[in-house]
Amino acid sequence: MRGLGLMLLLAAGALTVLLMRSPLGALSFAPDTWKGAPMTLAAAFCGVYGALLLFVRRFSLASMVAAMLVAACFSVGTQAYVRNLHEVETVDLDFILPDDQTEAFLNLTKDSVTEPRLTAFADDLYTSGILPEAPAFDQVQVVAGRPEGGRGQQVSVTFLYCPFIHPRTSLTRDVAMRYAMLICEQNIAKLSSSWDASGVWNRFRMLRRWAHDYHMQHSNGRNTSEFADRFALARWLVNREPDAALRAFLHAQLEAEIQAEQTAPR
C-alpha cells in the first residue's frame, strides 16, 4: 500500500506541474469550463488518498470517500475562484448626430445593442464553423450617452471575460464589436428620412470581410469550406440577421452587388 500511496503522490505532483506549466484555456467539449477543473480534482484526490494510504498502510473505504470529498470541495472552490477573476475589454464607438436626434439614438441603441444579441451572434459564428472560437466573453455591458466634455454620442461596449478560460486576444470579441457598430449605424439610418445605404452597407462589408478573413485564416485549407466563397458567408450573415428590416435591406444590397459583379465585363 505504501508503494501505491507513493505512486498517487507522484501522480498528484505531475498533474500539478502540468497545470502550472499551462494553466490557461477551456475544455474542448465545454468552452465555458476551465481546463484545470478536472486536473485539480484528480490532483487533489491522488494527493489526499496517497497521503492517507501512506499513513494507514491499508485499503480503507472511509479514507477513499474522505479523499473524494476533499478533492471535490477543493476542485469546486478552485473553479469558483477562477471564474471570479475577470478582465475587461472596452471599445468606444463615437457618432456625430444632430442634438435633436440624440435621445432617440440612445434609446434605439439601448434596445438593440444588447448582451443577448451580441452573444447569439458570436455563438452562431462558432456553431456554424465560421470561427473556431466559442464566445470568448462572460458578460457584455453596453453604455450609451454623451461623452464627458465631448460632442456627439458615444456607445461603450465592454466585454468581461475570465482570463483563465478565454484568450486575451479574441476573434469573437472583435467580430461582435463590429456587429455592434453595424447595429449603431442602422439606428442612425432609422432617424433619417431614408436608409443611409452607404453607412449601413459599408459597416456590413467591413464585418463580412473580417469574418471571411478570420475564417480562411483558421481553416488552413485542410477542408473545402462552404464559406470559402465570400458571397456564401455574406448570404449567411444576411439570413441569420434577426432584425427583419435590416435583413431585407442587406439582402437587396447584396443581391445588387452580386448581380453587378456577374454582369460586369471581363
Side-chain angles (χ1 to χ4, degrees):
M1 285 297 157
R2 295 184 63 183
L4 178 59
L6 286 172
M7 290 177 60
L8 289 174
L9 288 175
L10 288 174
L15 288 170
T16 303
V17 170
L18 286 175
L19 183 59
M20 293 178 65
R21 287 174 61 89
S22 179
L24 307 181
L27 296 175
S28 58
F29 56 88
D32 290 327
T33 303
W34 179 46
K35 74 175 185 180
M39 297 179 71
T40 55
L41 178 64
F45 174 78
C46 291
V48 173
Y49 191 50
L52 289 174
L53 285 179
L54 286 177
F55 180 75
V56 301
R57 298 185 180 181
R58 63 182 178 83
F59 172 78
S60 170
L61 181 60
S63 63
M64 177 178 286
V65 173
M68 293 172 63
L69 290 175
V70 171
C73 291
F74 179 75
S75 179
V76 170
T78 304
Q79 173 78 354
Y81 171 75
V82 167
R83 291 295 294 171
N84 244 356
L85 301 175
H86 281 94
E87 292 190 2
V88 299
E89 180 178 326
T90 301
V91 180
D92 294 327
L93 311 176
D94 296 310
F95 302 93
I96 301 297
L97 285 173
D99 290 339
D100 59 351
Q101 296 181 356
T102 296
E103 184 176 355
F105 171 77
L106 297 181
N107 290 334
L108 284 172
T109 300
K110 291 174 183 178
D111 292 337
S112 57
V113 185
T114 61
E115 178 178 359
R117 187 171 181 181
L118 297 181
T119 302
F121 178 70
D123 189 58
D124 287 345
L125 290 173
Y126 173 66
T127 56
S128 65
I130 294 176
L131 293 184
E133 178 187 281
F137 48 87
D138 302 308
Q139 296 179 36
V140 183
Q141 298 176 352
V142 181
V143 178
R146 186 182 295 275
E148 185 176 353
R151 297 176 58 249
Q153 293 74 43
Q154 185 175 83
V155 180
S156 295
V157 182
T158 300
F159 297 98
L160 284 77
Y161 64 96
C162 175
F164 275 84
I165 299 176
H166 303 302
R168 284 184 167 86
T169 301
S170 165
L171 303 179
T172 52
R173 290 199 299 271
D174 188 9
V175 178
M177 178 271 294
R178 297 178 188 281
Y179 183 54
M181 295 173 67
L182 172 63
I183 300 172
C184 290
E185 200 70 47
Q186 177 199 12
N187 293 337
I188 293 175
K190 285 181 178 180
L191 299 176
S192 62
S193 57
S194 61
W195 280 84
D196 182 359
S198 61
V200 179
W201 182 241
N202 286 338
R203 292 292 187 188
F204 177 77
R205 295 179 67 182
M206 182 185 301
L207 171 65
R208 84 183 193 193
R209 185 182 74 247
W210 279 89
H212 181 268
D213 290 347
Y214 284 151
H215 175 66
M216 298 307 297
Q217 177 183 350
H218 291 274
S219 64
N220 296 324
R222 288 173 294 188
N223 299 307
T224 302
S225 170
E226 61 178 306
F227 299 109
D229 178 2
R230 62 190 179 93
F231 287 130
L233 178 55
R235 284 195 174 101
W236 182 90
L237 289 170
V238 170
N239 291 333
R240 72 145 306 276
E241 173 56 45
D243 186 284
L246 180 58
R247 183 173 63 250
F249 170 78
L250 294 177
H251 175 76
Q253 293 291 319
L254 179 60
E255 292 304 317
E257 180 181 296
I258 295 174
Q259 183 66 25
E261 182 168 308
Q262 290 175 345
T263 57
R266 299 181 182 278

